Amino acid sequence: MAKINFGGVIEEVATREEFSLEKAREILKDETIAVLGYGVQGPGQACNLRDNGFNVIVGQRQGKTYQKAIEDGWVPGETLFSLEEAAEKGTIVCMLLSDAAQIQVWPKIKQYLTPGKTLYFSHGFAINWNDRTGVVPPADIDVIMVAPKGSGTSLRTMFLEGRGLNSSYAVYQDASGKAKEKVLAFGIGIGSGYLFETTFQREATSDLTGERGSLMGAIQGLLLAQYEVLRENGHTPSEAFNETVEELTQSLMPLFAAKGMDWMYANCSTTAQRGALDWFPRFHDAIKPVVQQLYQSVKEGTEAQISIDSNSQPDYRVKLEAELAALRDSEMWRTGAVVRQLRPEND
């Protein structure tokens, strides 16, 4: 493990330099990795592990996603099975179904978690709130997690580009005494950039906070508020969208992604610098109480329960599509669709 200084705080992380792929293969050489679910995280993790030389099978229900698995080279009856068959065959059983689906299939899957096996997650939801989900693993198995900090699509794309997506890892239950080396080997196997330690509780609460906050919920709220104010004051849709979204995503995000916010500020006009430095404390003071409320709601389990209740409704998909359609059909994002078509790369 390498000790890294993160802004004055020392953390231990695992990288491919000191924890090699060869070492990971040696640790997991006798394991059959059964990836249950081929939706969001499943394809990226399963394909990366396969390409890195691990013994992988996939468990997926019949349907469009099952066909996608076949298109990706998984062979029915050889490396592609039903969820139950894969869980029975696997020594490391990976729960990469959606949180709602994990709750649904748990009664069928848990019988195959026999002594000595390992149960793997990429999100702490089901375990952290197992008083609500019912996902309580047997005491005689290892329970581990590697949580890539991005989508399964990004994990696969970056792997194919020779890069890695950073991941957190955690051990919830160590029945074998070897759970930590297993989880690190797994993290290297799926192509992680570097691995930092967490717990199921910390991962679950930070993940739900991030999704509802700066990663998805808050960013949509902020963008929409600014777009609306510009439109209400006579600016055209094109101008409002470009000043609110397009410049952010196409020009500024790459700058602070590369070298930090200060570097992005330094590469903007002095007028922009002055305004940003003056106004960011006001936004911080206005937004932090909302984030504190959000974190408390996540920590108490309220957000988890809302998700469980919503996802268990029989018409959930219909309601979700209606909400997403309303977002897609809003003026701001209809304008965005036109702006994207006008980008030079689409000529």
Side-chain angles (χ1 to χ4, degrees):
M1 302 288 283
K3 293 183 182 294
I4 307 294
N5 187 331
F6 290 94
V9 178
I10 304 298
E11 291 186 41
E12 284 193 345
V13 303
T15 71
R16 285 175 280 187
E17 280 68 40
E18 74 268 4
F19 202 108
S20 68
L21 182 57
E22 290 72 24
K23 180 178 179 180
R25 288 194 192 111
E26 177 64 24
I27 290 170
L28 300 181
K29 66 180 180 180
D30 297 323
E31 305 283 358
T32 297
I33 300 168
V35 173
L36 306 189
Y38 207 74
V40 179
Q41 280 291 336
Q45 295 200 32
C47 289
N48 289 3
L49 285 163
R50 180 181 63 186
D51 290 356
N52 269 335
F54 296 86
N55 181 25
V56 189
I57 61 175
V58 170
Q60 176 58 42
R61 291 170 285 202
Q62 292 282 345
K64 283 176 60 178
T65 308
Y66 188 90
Q67 292 304 311
K68 182 183 185 306
I70 293 175
E71 292 168 8
D72 286 348
W74 304 99
V75 181
E78 295 182 16
T79 55
L80 178 59
F81 303 93
S82 69
L83 293 171
E84 292 84 356
E85 286 178 295
E88 184 176 17
K89 293 176 182 295
T91 58
I92 300 179
V93 179
C94 306
M95 290 288 273
L96 297 185
L97 298 148
S98 69
D99 295 328
Q102 288 181 29
I103 298 169
Q104 182 185 39
V105 306
W106 177 250
K108 299 177 183 178
I109 298 301
K110 65 180 181 180
Q111 64 184 303
Y112 301 112
L113 298 173
T114 50
K117 286 197 175 187
T118 299
L119 180 60
Y120 168 93
F121 294 87
S122 280
H123 185 21
F125 189 104
I127 292 292
N128 187 57
W129 289 293
N130 59 18
D131 58 328
R132 301 166 188 264
T133 66
V135 179
V136 179
D140 50 10
I141 66 170
D142 291 344
V143 182
I144 62 176
M145 173 178 65
V146 176
K149 299 301 107 181
S151 71
T153 300
S154 299
L155 182 73
R156 182 61 175 164
T157 300
M158 293 175 74
F159 176 86
L160 293 173
E161 293 173 348
R163 300 186 294 145
L165 190 65
N166 298 332
S167 303
S168 61
Y169 74 91
V171 173
Y172 179 76
Q173 202 164 269
D174 185 6
S176 69
K178 300 178 179 178
K180 186 169 182 178
E181 68 173 24
K182 268 192 250 182
V183 73
L184 290 173
F186 206 103
I188 295 300
I190 65 171
S192 299
Y194 75 84
L195 291 147
F196 60 95
E197 191 169 11
T198 187
T199 65
F200 275 66
Q201 188 274 336
R202 280 172 25 213
E203 192 282 334
T205 51
S206 61
D207 189 80
L208 264 67
T209 300
E211 291 167 348
R212 285 149 179 77
S214 65
L215 302 179
M216 295 175 69
I219 193 67
Q220 165 64 13
L222 173 61
L223 296 177
L224 182 60
Q226 180 168 305
Y227 181 88
E228 288 176 340
V229 169
L230 290 172
R231 291 288 287 122
E232 289 160 4
N233 283 276
H235 299 270
T236 66
S238 179
E239 184 171 51
F241 188 87
N242 273 279
E243 294 292 355
T244 299
V245 180
E246 191 74 353
E247 187 172 351
L248 171 67
T249 60
Q250 301 305 299
S251 175
L252 301 182
M253 276 187 171
L255 293 179
F256 69 77
K259 295 189 179 180
M261 192 65 73
D262 62 318
W263 195 75
M264 185 267 276
Y265 279 19
N267 283 273
C268 293
S269 70
T270 54
T271 302
Q273 292 169 5
R274 183 69 269 143
L277 290 167
D278 287 347
W279 275 90
F280 91 71
R282 303 188 202 186
F283 279 106
H284 168 269
D285 293 348
I287 293 167
K288 188 170 181 179
V290 179
V291 178
Q292 288 172 325
Q293 292 170 18
L294 165 59
Y295 188 84
Q296 194 60 32
S297 184
V298 171
K299 186 176 180 180
E300 291 172 350
T302 303
E303 295 301 311
Q305 192 62 53
I306 290 171
S307 179
I308 292 168
D309 292 344
S310 173
N311 294 346
S312 63
Q313 294 175 4
D315 59 349
Y316 164 70
R317 288 287 174 188
V318 175
K319 290 180 177 177
L320 173 65
E321 180 49 41
E323 289 183 274
L324 292 177
L327 193 62
R328 183 170 59 248
D329 294 337
S330 66
E331 184 188 276
M332 183 171 76
W333 290 112
R334 282 189 285 112
T335 299
V338 176
V339 170
R340 288 191 293 275
Q341 285 301 312
L342 293 172
R343 289 176 188 162
E345 66 262 27
N346 292 317
D347 290 347

